[in-house]
């Protein structure tokens, strides 16, 4: 198969979907540009802060993207390019983008509060608390994993004698220095745009130039050679501060500027794929379909059967529950106008789909080395495939190593972006758990006043996340894929139920929410059987028991909320028929 055909045909389908289906959804739900959004109605200078559409798109896209649309399609490519392509396009257009758009819309019509509060309004406090517990635990796992990944990316390598291996640590030290400089640039950008009213266009040009300068500086000057534990503590302190500072100081400007790294990465990839096509080097070795079971297992561990593995593995590139938390968490509190909801939420998801297609082309280009187990780390697979395609273009022939390094750096930069967004979202969830319907943080009294304090809620989240990151998140991380997709199913149910209450068309949610619920419960049941077998055999006993218990709890929670959702939907349908 030709990479250019996959990319251009896929992008054309995504654009057509945005123009037609996305527009139809906005009309069905009643997007109203004249309606006041929560960012204006509840402005507090900290969480609720109107953002210009390009800035908010940068935040939203940076937060939901990360490495997800790269890792998933590359890992799922063991089933062939056809299953991956179909799920990215069908899942992205009719599942993921609907999920993201619906979550953001429901939130802005509910004071910018999370999906948990939307559930509370339609299904009651019990369902809300179950959803928030589930979401909070998922976010703690994200914080633990991403804090560990960032610390590993920054840490120094030590010799057997305990001395720092400066040569082996240089790349990590450079990444750490660039990340620190990037934070400083973001703060300056935020002050210029939001406190000095500098033109966004001029500030953006200066900011992008500053990114280039800080990258050059970081590559040549990187004095920080610290251990993993020290970096874990530093990262913990950073997210503690970043998650309680006003969004305009760091979150908005940093994510906006970060998005240009992602746009750059995607731009380079498109040039590489099309350029390889023009030079006759865009043919992919990857089979169209390899079978219903992963027998290749490049990493040494098989994904198992295509159902449900394909739909669990490809998350951010098609549908991801984490997106509903971002949309109804930080994005909804910054949306300036309802007309921006479609491009940011529906459009943002489709851009992720395009990145997933690029990832498919990248793994297809180096397929023999990937399927043979020679090249298996998704980030390296992506960077190698794209940089080698770029190298087929005459004027980029000598830039392969530079392009490879830039792509790896761009991917790693988003781990830190997603990390403090996840921390802020977890703080929102923790605060909302203690509040009654209609109650605000300012109304809380007694112990609730303490627990809903943003500093207390953030400190608890950071301590739990960093502690888990230091002690063993990897032992429960395999559950994240199913938990994340289960969160998507619950998010779809929540929005569908809320739309029914509002008397709006919600039929577009029925198939996606039923399908995702079946997929995730199937995956979790497989995990339960596997870990039950481990327990009876006495293998990895403690963590097998923990994974077994968590899996069972997730299934029970999902069934409880699903039953409540179906009952509520039937109730609202009966009311509409009587009316």
């Amino acid at each position: 198969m030709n990479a250019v055909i996959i990319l251009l045909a896929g992008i054309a389908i995504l654009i057509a979907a945005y123009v037609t289906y996305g527009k139809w959804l906005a009309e069905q739900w009643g997007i109203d540009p004249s309606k006041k959004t929560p960012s204006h109605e509840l402005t507090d200078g900290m969480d609720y802060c109107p953002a210009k559409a390009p800035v908010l798109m940068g935040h939203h896209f940076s937060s939901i993207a990360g490495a997800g649309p790269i890792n998933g399609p590359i890992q799922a490519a063991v089933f062939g390019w056809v299953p991956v392509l179909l799920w990215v396009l069908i899942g992205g257009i009719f599942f993921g983008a609907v999920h993201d758009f619906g979550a953001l819309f429901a939130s802005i019509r509910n004071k910018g509060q999370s999906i948990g509060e939307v559930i509370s309004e339609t299904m009651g406090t019990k369902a809300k608390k179950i959803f928030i517990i589930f979401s909070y635990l998922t976010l703690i796992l994200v914080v633990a994993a991403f804090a560990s990944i960032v610390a590993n990316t920054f840490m120094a390598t030590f010799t057997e004698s305990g001395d720092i291996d400066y040569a082996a640590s240089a790349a990590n030290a450079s990444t750490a220095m660039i990340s620190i400089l990037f934070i400083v640039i973001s703060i300056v950008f935020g002050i210029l745009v939001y406190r000095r009213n500098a033109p966004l266009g001029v500030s953006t040009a200066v900011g992008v130039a500053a990114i280039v300068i800080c990258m050059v500086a970081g590559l040549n000057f990187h004095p920080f050679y610290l251990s993993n534990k020290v970096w874990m503590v530093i990262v913990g302190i950073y997210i503690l501060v970043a998650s309680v500072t006003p969004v305009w100081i760091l979150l908005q400007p940093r994510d906006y500027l970060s998005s240009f790294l992602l746009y750059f990465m995607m731009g380079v990839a498109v040039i590489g794929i099309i350029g390889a096509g023009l030079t006759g080097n865009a043919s992919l070795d990857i089979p169209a379909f390899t079978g219903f079971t992963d027998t290749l297992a490049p990493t040494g561990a098989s994904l198992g059967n295509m159902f449900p593995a394909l739909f669990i593995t490809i998350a951010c590139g098609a549908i991801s529950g984490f997106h509903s938390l971002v949309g109804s968490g930080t994005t909804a509190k910054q949306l300036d106008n309802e007309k921006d909801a479609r491009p940011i939420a529906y459009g943002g998801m489709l851009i992720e789909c395009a990145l997933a297609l690029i990832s498919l082309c990248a793994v297809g280009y180096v397929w023999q080395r990937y399927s043979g187990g020679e090249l298996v780390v998704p980030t390296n697979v992506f960077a190698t495939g794209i940089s080698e395609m770029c190298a087929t273009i005459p004027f980029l022939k000598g830039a392969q190593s530079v392009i490879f390094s830039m792509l790896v750096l761009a991917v790693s930069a988003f781990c830190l972006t997603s990390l403090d967004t996840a921390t802020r979202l977890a703080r929102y969830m923790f605060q909302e758990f203690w509040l009654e319907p209609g109650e605000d943080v300012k109304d809380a009294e007694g112990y609730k006043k303490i627990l809903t304090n943003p500093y207390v809620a953030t400190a608890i989240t950071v301590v739990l996340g960093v502690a888990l990151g230091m002690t063993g998140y990897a032992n429960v991380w395999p559950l994240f894929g199913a938990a994340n997709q289960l969160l998507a199913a619950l998010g779809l149910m929540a929005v569908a139920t809320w739309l029914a209450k509002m008397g709006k068309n919600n039929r577009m949610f029925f198939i996606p929410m039923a399908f995702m619920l079946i997929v995730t419960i199937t995956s979790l049941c497989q995990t339960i059987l596997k870990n039950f077998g481990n327990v009876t055999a006495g293998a990895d006993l403690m963590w097998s028991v923990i994974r077994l218990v968590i899996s069972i709890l997730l299934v029970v929670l999902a069934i409880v909320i699903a039953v409540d959702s179906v009952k509520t939907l039937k109730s609202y349908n009966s009311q509409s028929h009587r009316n």
Side-chain angles (χ1 to χ4, degrees):
M1 187 58 185
N2 191 285
V4 177
I5 295 175
I6 288 178
L7 179 64
L8 296 184
I11 290 176
I13 292 171
L14 294 172
I15 292 173
Y18 175 80
V19 173
T20 56
Y21 194 55
K23 182 181 179 182
W24 180 76
L25 290 174
E27 292 171 348
Q28 290 293 303
W29 299 341
I31 292 293
D32 185 1
S34 66
K35 196 172 184 64
K36 201 172 185 180
T37 60
S39 68
H40 290 283
E41 186 179 359
L42 303 170
T43 300
D44 61 7
M46 182 174 177
D47 297 319
Y48 290 85
C49 182
K52 295 178 175 66
V55 175
L56 187 54
M57 170 61 94
H59 156 68
H60 184 80
F61 189 41
S62 297
S63 297
I64 66 172
I70 292 173
N71 291 358
I74 288 174
Q75 292 171 336
V78 292
F79 297 112
W81 67 264
V82 170
V84 174
L85 178 65
L86 290 177
W87 177 235
V88 167
L89 293 178
I90 296 173
I93 293 168
F94 298 105
F95 288 59
V98 174
H99 166 269
D100 293 12
F101 191 11
L104 177 58
F105 178 66
S107 180
I108 59 178
R109 290 294 178 89
N110 284 273
K111 300 181 180 180
Q113 295 176 309
S114 75
I115 289 295
E117 288 299 323
V118 174
I119 288 177
S120 176
E121 182 181 327
T122 54
M123 288 185 275
T125 304
K126 181 189 76 173
K128 165 200 165 180
K129 291 190 179 296
I130 290 174
F131 179 83
I132 288 181
I133 290 172
F134 173 68
S135 302
Y136 185 75
L137 293 176
T138 302
L139 288 169
I140 289 295
L141 189 55
V142 172
V143 171
F146 278 59
S148 182
I149 290 170
V150 170
N152 287 335
T153 304
F154 291 173
M155 73 176 186
T157 301
F158 293 85
T159 62
E160 291 183 1
S161 61
D163 297 323
I164 297 173
D165 187 338
Y166 288 98
S169 305
N172 284 9
S174 293
T175 302
M177 187 62 186
I178 291 169
S179 298
I180 292 170
L181 292 174
F182 195 84
I183 291 170
V184 174
I185 290 171
S186 300
I187 294 172
V188 173
F189 181 90
I191 292 172
L192 288 175
V193 173
Y194 290 101
R195 287 298 177 267
R196 295 291 181 264
N197 296 316
L200 181 61
V202 175
S203 299
T204 300
V206 173
V208 171
I211 292 174
V212 176
I213 293 172
C214 84
M215 293 178 76
V216 173
L219 290 170
N220 292 280
F221 177 70
H222 35 78
F224 303 110
Y225 291 84
L226 306 173
S227 68
N228 178 276
K229 287 187 177 180
V230 173
W231 275 120
M232 282 291 285
V233 173
I234 292 173
V235 168
I237 294 171
Y238 164 73
I239 60 177
L240 178 65
V241 174
S243 300
V244 294
T245 55
V247 291
W248 63 266
I249 291 179
L250 182 58
L251 185 138
Q252 282 183 0
R254 188 218 47 217
D255 290 358
Y256 173 62
L257 293 176
S258 292
S259 67
F260 285 94
L261 285 176
L262 189 51
Y263 301 149
F264 164 78
M265 179 177 71
M266 293 182 68
V268 168
V270 170
I271 291 172
I273 293 170
I274 295 177
L278 293 175
T279 57
N281 294 286
S283 179
L284 304 180
D285 294 329
I286 182 172
F289 180 60
T290 61
F292 289 101
T293 302
D294 171 20
T295 57
L296 296 174
T299 62
S302 173
L303 292 180
N305 296 326
M306 189 171 73
F307 183 90
L310 176 73
F311 311 101
I312 296 295
T313 305
I314 302 178
C316 291
I319 179 172
S320 168
F322 180 67
H323 295 190
S324 68
L325 302 183
V326 175
S328 69
T330 52
T331 305
K333 294 176 176 64
Q334 302 171 64
L335 193 76
D336 182 55
N337 191 295
E338 281 197 7
K339 66 180 174 59
D340 299 332
R342 178 164 69 111
I344 289 172
Y346 195 88
M349 180 63 232
L350 296 188
I351 296 175
E352 271 211 87
C353 293
L355 181 54
L357 295 179
I358 291 172
S359 301
L360 176 60
C361 293
V363 69
Y365 196 77
V366 296
W367 176 251
Q368 295 303 324
R369 281 172 282 172
Y370 179 70
S371 60
E374 177 187 344
L375 186 68
V376 295
V377 178
T379 302
N380 290 339
V381 171
F382 179 84
T384 300
I386 298 302
S387 62
E388 288 187 1
M389 281 193 272
C390 287
T392 64
I393 305 172
F395 64 87
L396 292 176
K397 194 168 185 178
Q400 181 178 336
S401 61
V402 175
I403 293 173
F404 178 91
S405 298
M406 294 292 288
L407 291 174
V408 171
L409 180 63
V411 173
S412 64
F414 288 96
C415 289
L416 194 59
T417 298
S418 298
L419 175 59
D420 60 40
T421 296
T423 308
R424 189 179 285 260
L425 292 171
R427 188 249 292 177
Y428 293 156
M429 289 289 178
F430 189 88
Q431 290 175 294
E432 289 181 4
F433 178 82
W434 305 101
L435 301 175
E436 298 302 322
E439 189 177 17
D440 189 78
V441 173
K442 297 175 183 177
D443 303 324
E445 296 179 350
Y447 73 93
K448 290 185 178 181
K449 186 172 184 178
I450 297 174
L451 292 173
T452 57
N453 180 283
Y455 301 100
V456 173
T458 303
I460 292 172
T461 299
V462 172
V463 169
L464 290 174
V466 172
L468 180 59
M470 287 183 171
T471 57
Y473 84 90
N475 290 295
V476 290
W477 182 251
L479 290 172
F480 175 75
N484 181 54
Q485 298 303 71
L486 180 54
L487 189 59
L490 301 182
L492 288 164
M493 288 180 196
V495 178
T497 307
W498 176 77
L499 286 171
K501 181 181 179 181
M502 296 295 104
K504 299 180 182 295
N505 185 1
N506 66 349
R507 292 190 298 275
M508 68 288 294
F509 284 88
F510 293 167
I511 292 177
M513 69 185 191
F515 182 78
M516 294 309 299
L517 191 63
I518 293 170
V519 163
T520 50
I521 289 181
T522 300
S523 178
L524 287 168
C525 287
Q526 290 177 345
T527 302
I528 290 170
L529 292 174
K530 177 181 178 181
N531 283 281
F532 181 76
N534 289 343
V535 171
T536 55
D540 190 21
L541 191 59
M542 184 182 76
W543 286 108
S544 292
V545 170
I546 291 173
R547 288 190 292 266
L548 179 63
V549 171
I550 293 174
S551 299
I552 293 172
L553 286 175
L554 290 177
V555 171
V556 172
L557 291 175
I559 293 174
V560 169
I561 293 183
V563 170
D564 284 349
S565 178
V566 171
K567 287 180 179 177
T568 307
L569 283 170
K570 285 184 176 180
S571 173
Y572 288 138
N573 286 337
S574 298
Q575 290 177 18
S576 63
H577 287 316
R578 286 197 297 269
N579 295 334

